[in-house]
Amino acid sequence: MISMKNNKIIASWNKIEPSDSANERMLSAILKQNRSIHDRKGKVISMSQTKKFNKMILVPITACLVALIALTGLVGNNVGWFNNGSSKTPTTDNRGQSGNWGDSAPAIMVNGVIFIDTYEKYLGQVEEDDIFQVTSYYDDGMPAQNGQQNFDRTCKTQYVIESSENLIVHIDGEWRIFKASKANTPSNDVPTK
Amino acid sequence: MSKSLLRTDKEIAEIYTRHSKTVYRVCFAYMKNPADTEDAVQDTFFRLIKSAPVFDSKEHEKAWLIRTAANVCKNVLRHWWRRRDNIEDFYDLPSPDKIETDDVFSVVMELPEKYKTVVYLYYYEGYTSVEIADILKKPQSTVRNYLHESRAILRERLGDDFDEKQ
């Protein structure tokens, strides 16, 4: 159907239009609504962006922290950070002992002096007559009595008093030098053989 | 319309300037007074802002606004009907914007609601019945029927004043 025109109808409709003030009112209200929608959407966008940003930042940070903790644990174990100064982890238990030295370095108390493992191998000869045997085991840090040590639960470890400064201790299948802790002074007590 | 977008104030103002008169006339055909027409026009543009449709062309934009304006007005009238308000009470609401109408327009306004928009789109905007059917989402046969019936009423009431020409 072809559209028809009717001039009188067109003329009458032409009179129907908003006044300038009505136009101003309507446009003002419409733009106000538009700005309010923008504000609301803007908030939603910024909130979602914040969430996205948080995810983007927090995930790598968490991953880094986990990696750092894991690495710290690994390195710490290897260098003895968690072994209270001990830089060597027991490898074998050739003494039929637990092999667990706990948090302290291997140490023996002789004549009131604590001798601590230097991990230095003794290259000399040990006279059998000079050998003593530890008497007890102490599992909570450093030994507190003469003849007591902190690394051999079976208490079969042997040692030789080389001097007031050094002990020669049979540990891990070898003779090693234990040095006197400087905080203690030697006494004249004789350990049990 | 597969996507939507938020429009800037400038874009909204441009759309308003392009189509405000058309939307106003469609709304006035239903509401019959400037105050309610203003509200309906605003609601129509609020819908544009909220649904933020993307248009293929300015004609698409205009058609969307005409259909939305008609729907907004019909919703308002339906609401009034539910409240059992007498619609005629709202025809001559006091308004700062007094619109002068003539006899021809009064006769058009007296047409049944369903005819008025079709008459406006056909005689004033120059749409074909096919285009009107597309805009108002009605069957073409229905639009043709509306036009036929409204033309008969207008010819009867306006007499010689109702002269159609191609």
Side-chain angles (χ1 to χ4, degrees):
Chain A
M1 185 185 282
I2 298 166
S3 178
M4 301 287 206
K5 297 291 176 189
N6 186 299
N7 289 334
K8 289 192 177 170
I9 289 182
I10 291 171
S12 65
W13 273 107
N14 269 336
K15 294 174 187 167
I16 307 299
E17 59 179 34
S19 65
D20 289 345
S21 59
N23 254 332
E24 206 172 299
R25 278 196 303 274
M26 288 189 289
L27 183 58
S28 167
I30 289 162
L31 294 182
K32 189 178 171 187
Q33 177 77 3
N34 193 43
R35 279 189 285 273
S36 118
I37 292 281
H38 273 272
D39 287 347
R40 258 182 280 163
K41 296 261 180 177
K43 276 177 194 167
V44 171
I45 287 166
S46 70
M47 279 173 69
S48 62
Q49 280 174 342
T50 306
K51 280 181 185 169
K52 201 180 279 181
F53 175 77
N54 286 344
K55 271 187 186 171
M56 284 169 63
I57 293 298
L58 288 178
V59 168
I61 285 177
T62 309
C64 285
L65 281 173
V66 169
L68 188 65
I69 289 165
L71 192 66
T72 306
L74 197 67
V75 173
N77 274 338
N78 283 341
V79 300
W81 288 353
F82 305 126
N83 210 13
N84 203 18
S86 169
S87 62
K88 188 169 181 179
T89 308
T91 50
T92 56
D93 188 7
N94 62 339
R95 295 157 286 162
Q97 305 145 5
S98 70
N100 179 11
W101 297 339
D103 292 329
S104 303
I108 301 176
M109 178 177 270
V110 176
N111 295 335
V113 176
I114 293 173
F115 292 84
I116 298 172
D117 195 352
T118 62
Y119 300 99
E120 188 183 332
K121 194 173 178 179
Y122 178 69
L123 299 173
Q125 288 290 318
V126 174
E127 292 293 331
E128 210 168 305
D129 287 344
D130 298 329
I131 292 174
F132 294 88
Q133 190 167 333
V134 296
T135 54
S136 62
Y137 170 72
Y138 188 71
D139 66 354
D140 190 19
M142 287 296 168
Q145 295 173 9
N146 285 327
Q148 194 173 63
Q149 42 74 39
N150 63 359
F151 53 88
D152 180 10
R153 288 178 193 277
T154 62
C155 298
K156 289 179 181 173
T157 296
Q158 295 177 321
Y159 65 92
V160 173
I161 301 172
E162 190 195 39
S163 68
S164 60
E165 296 292 322
N166 291 344
L167 287 188
I168 311 300
V169 181
H170 195 251
I171 182 170
D172 289 337
E174 63 184 8
W175 291 97
R176 287 210 304 253
I177 300 168
F178 278 49
K179 284 273 183 195
S181 165
K182 288 176 182 171
N184 298 283
T185 45
S187 71
N188 293 323
D189 293 344
V190 179
T192 312
K193 224 175 197 180
Chain B
M1 248 173 286
S2 57
K3 54 182 180 177
S4 63
L5 56 91
L6 283 181
R7 292 181 167 84
T8 62
D9 279 3
K10 185 172 177 280
E11 289 168 327
I12 292 290
E14 283 169 357
I15 295 173
Y16 179 85
T17 306
R18 274 199 292 274
H19 305 296
S20 62
K21 284 183 181 174
T22 300
V23 173
Y24 190 89
R25 285 172 185 142
V26 170
C27 292
F28 194 89
Y30 284 95
M31 310 313 293
K32 299 178 181 173
N33 70 71
D36 292 322
T37 300
E38 272 187 40
D39 288 345
V41 170
Q42 287 175 27
D43 283 350
T44 303
F45 280 92
F46 289 169
R47 286 194 186 190
L48 172 78
I49 291 165
K50 281 180 187 168
S51 56
V54 174
F55 301 118
D56 302 331
S57 62
K58 288 192 172 67
E59 270 308 304
H60 183 201
E61 182 180 275
K62 184 179 180 181
W64 188 94
L65 285 167
I66 289 170
R67 186 171 60 251
T68 304
N71 289 336
V72 165
C73 294
K74 280 188 259 184
N75 282 344
V76 172
L77 295 175
R78 208 173 293 140
H79 177 66
W80 281 349
W81 183 85
R82 275 202 217 104
R83 286 169 48 199
R84 299 292 190 270
D85 288 333
N86 185 357
I87 295 169
E88 300 298 325
D89 294 344
F90 295 89
Y91 284 176
D92 295 313
L93 281 176
S95 167
D97 300 303
K98 183 71 181 169
I99 292 177
E100 295 297 332
T101 57
D102 55 23
D103 291 343
V104 175
F105 190 78
S106 298
V107 170
V108 173
M109 285 296 102
E110 285 166 10
L111 288 170
E113 296 298 329
K114 57 185 179 182
Y115 296 159
K116 275 188 287 193
T117 312
V118 173
V119 166
Y120 169 74
L121 295 177
Y122 183 79
Y123 287 104
Y124 188 87
E125 294 289 346
Y127 286 114
T128 65
S129 59
V130 176
E131 290 167 334
I132 294 168
D134 188 46
I135 291 170
L136 299 180
K137 303 295 176 199
K138 289 185 181 299
Q140 290 177 27
S141 57
T142 305
V143 172
R144 277 196 295 269
N145 212 25
Y146 286 176
L147 277 173
H148 176 76
E149 289 170 19
S150 56
R151 196 181 291 126
I153 295 171
L154 290 171
R155 188 172 288 122
E156 181 194 330
R157 295 184 186 172
L158 292 173
D160 292 341
D161 283 340
F162 186 71
D163 55 331
E164 286 187 2
K165 59 184 177 185
Q166 286 191 6

